[in-house]
Amino acid sequence: MQEGAFMQLNPKLVGAGVAAAIAAGLGYALLAAQDDETEFKTLEREGAFSVRDYPRLLVAETVSLGMRESALSRGFLALADYICGKDRDGARIPMTVPVLFDGDDDGRGWRTRFVMPARYTVETLPAPGEEVAIRSLPARRIAAVRFAGEASDAVLDAHEDALRGWMRGHRLRAAGPVEHAFYNPPFTPGLLRRNEVLIPLAA
């Protein structure tokens, strides 16, 4: 199953960072037509909740310290620089969705990930700079809840709580930290924005 739109970033979270990115010539990454090559198989669906099987994914990722809002902005801009070809050799890489974001509570920082188009491999992707790493995520089973509108801390936390409650009711066990998936640009009207909370599941 293939779904997608574009990345969602709350204007309150990104604000001047996105405006600066566009002014700096990174509008391609934010505004150009994007690919959605993140395929998954839906195993179960109940309203906004679902269980999915994802294949192996190749991602470019970066880790930023600080508050979630500013870390998301910095991480996005660093990855936009990479796919647009700033300070590296090679052609631009198409933007894909979703943009994945997660963090932990032990001070290691917040991680932002762009999923790479399926035609690339670790060997064929342009070499990134020091801020960006290329990783291969193994195939995973994921519990997901989908919602529209803004994705503030409070809203994300509320949907995470709801997802964990749904998982308990279905005897599903988490196998990793919560992740967030964003699909739309900041100028997308609130109710048209697609966001997801994702939790990896134990086999």
Side-chain angles (χ1 to χ4, degrees):
M1 178 178 180
Q2 195 169 45
E3 302 184 24
F6 203 101
M7 176 179 176
Q8 185 275 343
L9 285 179
N10 187 328
K12 295 179 181 178
L13 305 186
V14 182
V18 169
I22 296 173
L26 297 181
Y28 169 85
L30 292 170
L31 304 175
Q34 77 289 345
D35 295 333
D36 181 6
E37 301 186 18
T38 306
E39 298 182 356
F40 56 82
K41 180 180 180 181
T42 300
L43 304 179
E44 181 177 357
R45 176 176 294 160
E46 185 177 340
F49 302 97
S50 62
V51 175
R52 307 165 177 173
D53 274 349
Y54 281 84
R56 183 188 69 85
L57 296 176
L58 191 64
V59 301
E61 67 178 38
T62 188
V63 175
S64 303
L65 300 176
M67 301 297 290
R68 187 183 78 91
E69 294 89 345
S70 58
L72 175 57
S73 179
R74 288 195 303 273
F76 175 77
L77 294 177
L79 293 175
D81 281 348
Y82 170 65
I83 67 170
C84 288
K86 183 178 179 181
D87 299 327
R88 68 159 173 81
D89 296 328
R92 287 177 170 177
I93 301 168
M95 182 78 183
T96 67
V97 292
V99 172
L100 302 173
F101 185 74
D102 68 81
D104 46 47
D105 297 324
D106 60 8
R108 289 185 296 175
W110 301 92
R111 179 170 52 192
T112 309
R113 288 169 164 166
F114 283 8
V115 179
M116 297 291 97
R119 66 178 178 270
Y120 287 98
T121 66
V122 173
E123 292 74 24
T124 60
L125 278 172
E130 293 183 359
E131 287 188 282
V132 176
I134 305 300
R135 305 286 185 211
S136 180
L137 304 184
R140 304 186 295 169
R141 182 160 293 178
I142 297 286
V145 60
R146 178 176 177 171
F147 64 97
E150 294 188 359
S152 65
D153 287 349
V155 170
L156 290 170
D157 288 346
H159 281 88
E160 178 185 347
D161 289 344
L163 179 58
R164 291 188 185 277
W166 184 81
M167 288 167 54
R168 287 192 295 271
H170 289 72
R171 298 183 180 181
L172 301 172
R173 294 185 297 109
V178 65
E179 302 173 24
H180 303 137
F182 303 120
Y183 288 80
N184 304 103
F187 47 77
T188 304
L191 292 180
L192 298 180
R193 296 176 187 168
R194 176 185 169 190
N195 319 290
E196 293 176 341
V197 174
L198 312 174
I199 297 178
L201 296 176

